Amino acid sequence: MPPRRQRPRESPALVAFGRQMRRMREAKGVKQETIAQLTTMSGAQISRLENGKRRATRSFVEIVDDYLEAGGSLISLWEDLNKDGHPVPIWFDWPQIESDAAILVCYEHSVIPGLAQTPAYALAILRGNKEGADARIQRQAILSRDDGKAPPALLLLIDEQVLTRLVGAPETMREQLEHLIAISSLPNVTVQVVLGSGEHDGNMGAFVVATMEDRSEVAYIETAVRGITTDNPAELSILARTLIDLRSRALTQEMSCELIRKVIQEKWT
């Protein structure tokens, strides 16, 4: 097996932009709170942007460039980082975003979401990659963390067909669905089954939307090649509309658990 390629934990492009913006702001003696008020953002959001953990929009950059009398230099830097026409970066350090999130909303149409997988199910999905399976299971610690930080509120929207798609052995599926019912009893976890009949936007792919403490959002979108992360407002709006459609098709948590029990009894026992 080839060694896993390590991705940097920060985007050099975002760090470069954030540092330059901070230099310009401090050179003018302007506080972060002033920029926040000017752009209708929070101070925490400005801090994340200057630390390379949040991407700036074109409209934001234009306002700040004008206020700091940067003569277009901040805009030029932003444009240099967006030469291909796509906002940068195409990724964030998703495990860190996931760990820091206040709310996680996950939709899956083909497998049980990673935060709800059992070790056996994860091992089967990852084709025997124990290191990868162990890492996935370790991420689940955020759901019952006791490190002084509140665990995130997690909503799992799972397509009905996931319950009947064999992963591993029947025993693996039975254990997995029983685990799904068990974690739904956690006060911060909601499990809802999306009825599989009909067409809806969720058929296009699985995704997770993380809402941070400052109310900003980052999404993780699965593709056949790799996962993509984004905080692009237009893309987040599309996902928000998709979630409205999915929630309208979802059973309540109580009804979802009843359906899961029925599938366990009729198919996996």
Side-chain angles (χ1 to χ4, degrees), residues 105 201 205-210 217-221 228 230 232-246:
V105 179
D201 292 342
F207 61 89
V208 186
V209 178
E217 293 181 329
V218 179
Y220 176 88
I221 304 167
I228 295 175
T230 179
N232 183 286
E235 293 168 345
L236 290 170
S237 293
I238 292 172
L239 295 181
R241 290 192 293 270
T242 300
L243 283 172
I244 291 173
D245 186 23
L246 291 172

Side-chain angles (χ1 to χ4, degrees), residues 84-96:
D84 62 356
H86 297 283
V88 293
I90 60 171
W91 60 265
F92 288 82
D93 178 21
W94 179 254
Q96 187 62 52

Side-chain angles (χ1 to χ4, degrees), residues 1-164:
M1 180 182 297
R4 292 177 61 189
R5 183 166 60 94
Q6 297 296 315
R7 294 193 310 184
R9 294 183 62 83
E10 295 178 321
S11 162
L14 289 189
V15 171
F17 180 86
R19 286 177 177 171
Q20 183 62 16
M21 177 179 147
R22 177 184 287 117
R23 292 190 191 101
M24 292 181 173
R25 176 180 60 77
E26 292 178 344
K28 291 287 186 178
V30 176
K31 295 182 178 180
Q32 284 185 344
E33 290 76 12
T34 302
I35 300 296
Q37 293 173 4
L38 187 69
T39 57
T40 65
M41 294 172 66
S42 69
Q45 288 173 321
I46 301 301
S47 178
R48 290 186 64 218
L49 193 151
E50 290 189 345
N51 288 323
K53 296 180 179 180
R54 179 185 173 92
R55 182 180 52 214
T57 63
R58 172 69 183 240
S59 59
F60 171 92
V61 175
E62 290 174 346
I63 292 172
V64 175
D65 185 278
D66 180 67
Y67 187 80
L68 297 180
E69 300 177 329
S73 61
L74 201 58
I75 297 174
S76 295
L77 176 58
W78 186 90
E79 289 176 341
D80 285 342
L81 301 177
N82 289 269
K83 283 182 177 178
D84 62 356
H86 297 283
V88 293
I90 60 171
W91 60 265
F92 288 82
D93 178 21
W94 179 254
Q96 187 62 52
I97 291 290
E98 185 180 70
S99 178
D100 292 343
I103 303 171
L104 292 165
V105 179
C106 174
Y107 169 67
E108 271 287 0
H109 58 31
S110 57
V111 298
I112 298 295
L115 287 177
Q117 291 179 8
T118 62
Y121 189 97
L123 194 62
I125 283 288
L126 297 176
R127 300 181 180 182
N129 181 350
K130 191 172 188 310
E131 180 185 359
D134 289 346
R136 180 168 297 182
I137 298 305
Q138 288 171 8
R139 284 167 45 203
Q140 299 174 7
I142 64 172
L143 300 180
S144 55
R145 69 198 322 165
D146 57 359
D147 56 2
K149 182 183 173 84
L154 173 64
L155 168 60
L156 298 175
L157 294 169
I158 303 173
D159 195 282
E160 183 180 6
Q161 65 180 342
V162 174
L163 307 179
T164 56

